[in-house]
Amino acid sequence: MSNLTKLALEQSLKRFLLKKPLDKITIKDLTDDIGISRMSFYYHFKDIYDLVEWSCIYDATNALKGNKTYDTWQEGLTSIFEAVLQNKPFILNVYHTTTQDSIERFLFTTVHDLILGVVREKAQGTNISEEQIQFIADFYKYSFVGIMLDWIGKGMNEDYNEIVYNMANTLHGSIANSISNFTNEAK
């Protein structure tokens, strides 16, 4: 029942974001819309921004669909772009408010999870440390998220498939090279 309430609140929030900006939406709007008490809202979330962050992470996790391997990371990244685009009014509204950090946090979390899976897979059998694996994942995470934030900031009009294609060409072989560089350094 708990997840159903969260999902209902998320859908209500998304409906309201089609009509007005995030900073004009109240908890009362949401709770009246789905017929729950304010206390029920606070049982699940501390405020609307907490709901926004949960929604972003929930949607991104569903979008990733386990595509966190070297062979599937492009599909995972494409799925993240698709999830962002499917929620365009929600994302743009949140992006253009003071809670832009919610979008950044959700992208950082999701992209890091995606890249970390790839780096760990490629690092198997090497002697690089967990800190180095995390560093490599963080390095690429910031690049990916920066490109996604530029795309969002420009209104999401550019073809994301072309962006993913360009990212894949830029990235091709570089994670393995980074791992190799750290491995050679350790010798």
Side-chain angles (χ1 to χ4, degrees), residues 152-172:
I152 292 168
K154 293 175 184 172
M156 300 187 223
N157 297 317
E158 191 177 348
D159 180 7
Y160 63 85
N161 289 303
E162 186 176 329
I163 295 169
V164 172
Y165 175 81
N166 290 338
M167 291 170 80
N169 280 335
T170 302
L171 184 64
H172 183 75

Side-chain angles (χ1 to χ4, degrees), residues 25-166:
I25 299 171
T26 66
I27 292 170
K28 183 174 178 8
D29 289 336
L30 302 177
T31 56
D32 286 354
D33 184 44
I34 65 168
I36 64 169
S37 70
R38 287 176 59 85
M39 289 309 297
S40 291
F41 177 91
Y42 288 114
Y43 176 77
H44 299 288
F45 303 105
K46 62 183 177 201
D47 55 27
I48 287 183
Y49 303 106
D50 190 30
L51 169 59
V52 166
E53 191 163 333
W54 179 86
S55 297
C56 289
I57 291 169
Y58 180 82
D59 290 349
T61 302
N62 286 334
L64 216 64
K65 300 174 190 149
N67 290 315
K68 298 186 247 180
T69 67
Y70 183 76
D71 292 334
T72 62
W73 74 266
Q74 283 180 258
E75 288 109 34
L77 188 60
T78 300
S79 295
I80 294 170
F81 271 102
E82 287 170 353
V84 169
L85 189 59
Q86 285 173 355
N87 290 295
K88 185 174 182 175
F90 172 76
I91 297 293
L92 287 177
N93 199 323
V94 172
Y95 181 84
H96 292 295
T97 67
T98 57
T99 60
Q100 181 178 347
D101 60 327
S102 293
I103 298 291
E104 289 177 10
R105 262 194 313 277
F106 119 77
L107 288 174
F108 282 139
T109 300
T110 307
V111 170
H112 183 267
D113 196 28
L114 169 67
I115 298 300
L116 185 59
V118 173
V119 175
R120 282 206 169 114
E121 177 186 339
K122 290 306 233 180
Q124 286 179 350
T126 68
N127 62 344
I128 72 170
S129 69
E130 179 61 25
E131 291 80 23
Q132 292 166 328
I133 289 171
Q134 290 289 336
F135 181 84
I136 293 169
D138 283 343
F139 181 84
Y140 290 105
K141 165 187 78 174
Y142 286 109
S143 173
F144 281 32
V145 171
I147 289 169
M148 290 187 85
L149 289 172
D150 281 350
W151 176 71
I152 292 168
K154 293 175 184 172
M156 300 187 223
N157 297 317
E158 191 177 348
D159 180 7
Y160 63 85
N161 289 303
E162 186 176 329
I163 295 169
V164 172
Y165 175 81
N166 290 338

